[in-house]
């Protein structure tokens, strides 16, 4: 199994090297839906990764409006690295121009018909498809061998639940661009909200861990597992690295400070938490610096 690592700082680039990641995904202020590295830091990251012979991928995962579309496309294609896009218009333009890219299909696209269609459309230059983690294991294991383009799943980290171009936090009067909110009915853990010029994202209150199923996923033709390092502290990273090195994921799950989802979608009680969303009141718990 190959591992890729999502980063948003130069320190996390070093972490990716320490864990022997096969690729790093850089989140950058001007291109990522959540921001991250400055443009100067990204240039440094490109040089450092090149020296270490570590492939680097630019997360250009914003939904791009009509007016800035051409400029955004020109900017992301100026870098000598693989691009990672969600906007289907960007994907189409890259495919037509012969530019290699990875396609984010991690929201929606949970059936074989949509996956077959996007593979057919983007077969020439799409190098990888990032799958939706909300595909149940039974369906996933029948889908993976039939995929003609290499696939990736989130293996460890926060689970993205929502992305909107709208500035939802500031429109509700929040002074911070990032906050945590809790719900008594949803159980322990905080839902992370983050607003940037690209819009607003929301993450599940529980983090996902599929690392213990790495061999099973590889046997069923998954090529890549992603480890999201962006919101880890240094101590958490070293705990994660040691658990992966020793293959002791059970111990990691017991000692991890946040609740980890048990595994595949449908195997967790909290997978259905939003079925009753209108009845559940979200309570702001604390803001993030």
């Amino acid at each position: 199994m190959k591992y890729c690592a999502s980063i948003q700082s130069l320190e996390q680039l070093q972490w990716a090297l320490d864990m022997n990641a096969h690729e790093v995904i850089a989140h950058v202020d001007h291109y990522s839906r959540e921001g991250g590295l400055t443009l100067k830091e990204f240039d440094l990251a490109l040089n450092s990764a090149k020296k270490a012979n570590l492939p680097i991928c630019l997360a250009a995962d914003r939904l791009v409006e009509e007016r800035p579309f051409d400029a955004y496309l020109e900017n992301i294609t100026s870098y000598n690295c693989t691009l990672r896009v969600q906007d289907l218009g960007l994907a189409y333009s890259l495919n037509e121009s012969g530019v290699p890219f990875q396609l984010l299909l991690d929201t929606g696209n949970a059936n074989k018909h949509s996956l077959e269609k996007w593979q057919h459309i983007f077969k020439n230059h799409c190098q990888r498809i990032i799958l939706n983690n909300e595909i149940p294991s039974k369906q996933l294991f029948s889908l993976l061998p039939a995929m003609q383009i290499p696939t990736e799943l989130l293996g460890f980290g926060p689970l993205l639940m929502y992305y909107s171009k709208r500035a939802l936090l500031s429109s509700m009067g929040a002074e911070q661009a990032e906050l945590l909110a809790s719900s008594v009915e949803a159980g322990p853990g905080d839902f992370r909200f983050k607003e940037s010029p690209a819009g607003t994202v929301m993450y599940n209150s529980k983090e996902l861990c599929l690392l213990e199923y790495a061999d099973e996923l590889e046997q069923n033709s998954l090529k890549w597992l992603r480890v999201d390092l962006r919101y880890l502290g240094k101590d958490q990273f070293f705990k994660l690295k040691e658990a992966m090195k020793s293959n002791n994921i059970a111990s990691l799950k017991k000692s991890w400070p946040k609740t980890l989802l048990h595994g595949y979608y449908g195997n967790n009680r909290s997978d259905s938490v939003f079925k009753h969303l209108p009845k559940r009141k979200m309570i702001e718990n604390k803001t993030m610096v």
Side-chain angles (χ1 to χ4, degrees), residues 122-138:
F122 299 125
K123 60 184 177 182
N124 292 333
H125 299 287
C126 181
Q127 296 183 332
R128 190 184 312 164
I129 288 179
I130 294 82
L131 295 173
N132 192 338
N133 281 85
E134 295 182 15
I135 302 175
S137 57
K138 185 176 181 180

Side-chain angles (χ1 to χ4, degrees), residues 134 161 185-186 204 261 265-277 280:
E134 295 182 15
M161 302 189 69
E185 292 175 312
N204 198 307
L261 292 170
Y265 178 76
N267 294 352
N268 306 281
R269 291 178 60 190
S270 56
D271 282 338
S272 60
V273 67
F274 285 119
K275 287 184 178 180
H276 308 290
L277 182 61
R280 299 181 182 275

Side-chain angles (χ1 to χ4, degrees), residues 88-104:
L88 295 173
L90 282 175
Y92 184 82
S93 297
L94 295 172
N95 197 61
E96 290 293 292
S97 302
V99 178
F101 66 96
Q102 300 171 3
L103 182 62
L104 282 161

